[in-house]
Amino acid sequence: MQWNWVDPQTAERGQSLLRRLTDQGYEGYFVGGCVRDELLGRPVNDMDIATNATPEQVIALFERTIPTGLEHGTITVLIDNEPFEVTTYRTETEYVDHRRPEQVQFVRELSEDLRRRDFTMNAIARGIDGEYTDPFHGIDDLNKGIIRCVGIADERFEEDALRMVRGIRFASVFHFEIEQQTWQALLHHQALIYHIATERIRVEMEKMIAGPYPYQGIELLLSSGLIPHMKVSVPCEALDQDLLRSLEQLPASPSILRWALIALGLGMDEQQIKIVFKSWTFPNIITDQVSKIIRMNERLYNGIVQREAVPLATIEHKESIDTDANRHHSYVLFVSCVLDYGKEIAQYWHALFPVLPHAYQQHLAIIGNQADRWLEQLTVYSLADLPVKGQDVLQHLEIAAGKWLGELLHEILLLVATGQLDNNKEVILHYADQASGRKGLR
């Protein structure tokens, strides 16, 4: 059997597993995503297998197995330490909360197993001989670029409401259209999405946003009417669709870039980001990084606009703003953000810069053009990079500690980072002497 989009070793291991099943008199087929992606010419990561062998029979056939989903008929079989999920043909009875089947029943026919699946493109099987079993014409739908439910769409969405979001995700990632009856059933059952855990929806949305056509997915989500029915709402009141159209200009990895642009496109400030992203069960690191990128962007923009406000009212030619003084101001402002938010956040912001709204690009052009060079020039990033500690300053000045100390050290750090003060202990302590006098500390 020829696989063009599977790692050769994975393909051989999967086929050896299938041969073991068939040699022992059982049926075995590759099913689901691996078959679909092979037909689409997309890299295949996992090779799932369906069989008429019971879980106990599968366990007896292979040396190394893990009962990962025994109650649903799924056994993980390890072939040379590579895992393969092997699931007994099954049907599913009544669903609980429009998500989970109350119980599963093992069946003997492959067609019965394929009938329970969500979309026709996921209901294709491939045997050890390389032949496809396609009772619901999934290959035809793949060729036409159509997302279609298996059987009656209303029933599929009533069984598992997450399938509505999965359908949108598939349409977005594959650049497909959702078949009309499937779409109408989705619109009819949109309120059922409330039964689905926020985390499950987030996982689908992450895959959608990481795909090649994320804006198509956003458009479908907006027109589906699903968002208002979700357990955690998305604040779409200030939605900037023109900005969100730029998502595809950003790389899918690191994902933080696209999520930061989405936060901007939704008009969220730092506080809203923390609330919404936490509610959507994003990892803390994602929430923290997105909020810092947005905070840095606003700080840069406000810092430049406030400085430009006075000269803009008094000069004849806007181009004269681009003076050495303004370059220096932009440099110091940017470096201060690097010190406060970190080099990585600054690099993320700079990667985001080309798709920022026009007003931001216009006012932050100096920083956008120079950021890479300025980052390369930086030699200090934190107080730990200075040759003096707080205790050194206290002993030298013979002044009691207070809030002033941290403020002074950060002032010194910025001066050193921007090349206005040598990173030398004597020079820094001399500056501390002068600064303490100016601040009236002694």
Side-chain angles (χ1 to χ4, degrees):
M1 183 197 312
Q2 181 66 37
W3 290 87
N4 298 313
W5 294 89
V6 185
D7 175 81
Q9 286 188 323
T10 297
E12 178 52 40
R13 289 166 185 154
Q15 286 166 191
S16 71
L17 194 162
L18 225 59
R19 279 194 296 271
R20 175 77 182 204
L21 285 168
T22 55
D23 287 348
Q24 296 299 313
Y26 301 108
E27 293 181 7
Y29 291 87
F30 295 108
V31 292
C34 64
V35 180
R36 177 199 68 219
D37 290 346
E38 173 72 16
L39 289 166
L40 285 173
R42 292 170 52 87
V44 174
N45 298 314
D46 303 306
M47 301 186 79
D48 293 340
I49 292 168
T51 179
N52 63 349
T54 65
E56 293 75 17
Q57 290 169 330
V58 172
I59 291 172
L61 273 181
F62 297 95
E63 292 182 5
R64 301 180 62 199
T65 61
I66 305 170
T68 45
L70 195 58
E71 70 278 12
H72 295 113
T74 300
I75 301 295
T76 297
V77 176
L78 297 173
I79 306 293
D80 295 335
N81 290 323
E82 185 169 2
F84 294 84
E85 285 196 355
V86 180
T87 303
T88 303
Y89 298 160
R90 71 190 195 204
T91 59
E92 296 165 344
T93 60
E94 294 297 319
Y95 281 66
V96 178
D97 293 332
H98 304 282
R99 178 69 187 105
R100 302 182 306 278
E102 192 167 17
Q103 60 178 316
V104 301
Q105 294 178 343
F106 299 142
V107 294
R108 304 301 297 172
E109 299 295 329
L110 172 65
S111 59
E112 287 300 304
D113 182 80
L114 297 178
R115 191 183 303 279
R116 70 178 172 81
R117 297 174 184 264
D118 51 7
F119 304 106
T120 58
M121 64 179 184
N122 295 329
I124 309 168
R126 193 181 192 194
I128 190 68
D129 57 0
E131 294 298 313
Y132 294 99
T133 299
D134 182 20
F136 303 102
H137 310 293
I139 295 176
D140 188 41
D141 284 342
L142 282 177
N143 292 332
K144 292 177 180 177
I146 290 174
I147 306 293
R148 186 197 309 271
C149 280
V150 172
I152 301 173
D154 289 288
E155 294 179 359
R156 299 292 82 76
F157 292 146
E158 285 176 359
E159 291 167 350
D160 183 355
L162 183 63
R163 287 170 174 167
M164 295 186 285
V165 181
R166 281 172 57 81
I168 288 173
R169 189 253 293 182
F170 285 133
S172 170
V173 171
F174 300 147
H175 205 33
F176 280 11
E177 293 183 2
I178 299 178
E179 178 265 336
Q180 185 176 3
Q181 289 185 344
T182 298
W183 181 252
Q184 290 301 319
L186 188 156
L187 295 178
H188 181 67
H189 292 89
Q190 58 190 207
L192 295 181
I193 199 66
Y194 180 79
H195 295 278
I196 304 302
T198 299
E199 183 177 359
R200 300 303 298 270
I201 299 174
R202 173 184 58 77
V203 170
E204 295 297 326
M205 290 175 67
E206 284 184 304
K207 293 176 182 178
M208 181 185 82
I209 296 302
Y213 307 102
Y215 183 69
Q216 180 183 349
I218 289 175
E219 279 191 310
L220 286 171
L221 270 178
L222 291 171
S223 57
S224 71
L226 290 171
I227 293 176
H229 295 286
M230 294 176 181
K231 288 182 178 178
V232 177
S233 63
V234 178
C236 296
E237 298 81 11
L239 181 69
D240 185 342
Q241 289 189 258
D242 288 334
L243 184 58
L244 293 180
R245 287 188 180 93
S246 303
L247 277 170
E248 291 161 25
Q249 298 177 36
L250 294 171
S253 181
S255 63
I256 198 72
L257 296 177
R258 290 187 175 182
W259 287 112
L261 187 64
I262 287 172
L264 270 177
L266 291 171
M268 290 195 287
D269 59 23
E270 179 189 356
Q271 191 60 32
Q272 286 176 307
I273 290 169
K274 289 181 177 179
I275 293 172
V276 172
F277 276 60
K278 181 178 180 180
S279 299
W280 274 96
T281 71
F282 278 92
N284 289 337
I285 188 171
I286 297 292
T287 304
D288 183 59
Q289 288 180 331
V290 169
S291 63
K292 283 182 178 178
I293 293 169
I294 300 305
R295 195 191 321 163
M296 177 172 174
N297 187 57
E298 288 304 307
R299 182 164 148 185
L300 291 174
Y301 181 75
N302 292 335
I304 295 299
V305 169
Q306 289 168 8
R307 179 175 173 81
E308 289 177 348
V310 174
L312 274 173
T314 58
I315 62 176
E316 295 181 5
H317 301 290
K318 190 175 182 180
E319 288 76 11
S320 63
I321 294 175
D322 192 9
T323 62
D324 289 342
N326 285 308
R327 282 181 178 274
H328 179 72
H329 173 74
S330 297
Y331 175 53
V332 172
L333 180 61
F334 178 74
V335 172
S336 71
C337 286
V338 177
L339 297 179
D340 286 348
Y341 306 128
K343 183 178 181 180
E344 185 179 47
I345 295 300
Q347 290 171 326
Y348 287 155
W349 175 85
H350 192 225
L352 199 63
F353 177 77
V355 298
L356 290 177
H358 178 70
Y360 284 81
Q361 293 190 25
Q362 184 180 35
H363 288 289
L364 300 177
I366 295 175
I367 298 175
N369 292 332
Q370 299 294 325
D372 277 341
R373 186 169 67 86
W374 289 345
L375 282 170
E376 287 178 6
Q377 292 174 347
L378 271 182
T379 58
V380 297
Y381 293 94
S382 70
L383 295 176
D385 297 323
L386 299 179
V388 299
K389 309 300 178 189
Q391 194 60 37
D392 297 324
V393 175
L394 291 175
Q395 289 177 356
H396 181 75
L397 298 180
E398 297 181 343
I399 305 174
K403 183 181 177 182
W404 65 270
L405 180 59
E407 294 173 349
L408 177 59
L409 286 172
H410 281 88
E411 179 182 321
I412 290 170
L413 177 63
L414 180 58
L415 290 170
V416 171
T418 54
Q420 299 175 78
L421 196 65
D422 289 340
N423 197 21
N424 174 278
K425 185 173 183 178
E426 290 185 6
V427 171
I428 291 174
L429 290 177
H430 177 67
Y431 178 85
D433 259 332
Q434 294 178 318
S436 64
R438 288 196 309 271
K439 297 175 186 293
L441 297 174
R442 59 177 182 168

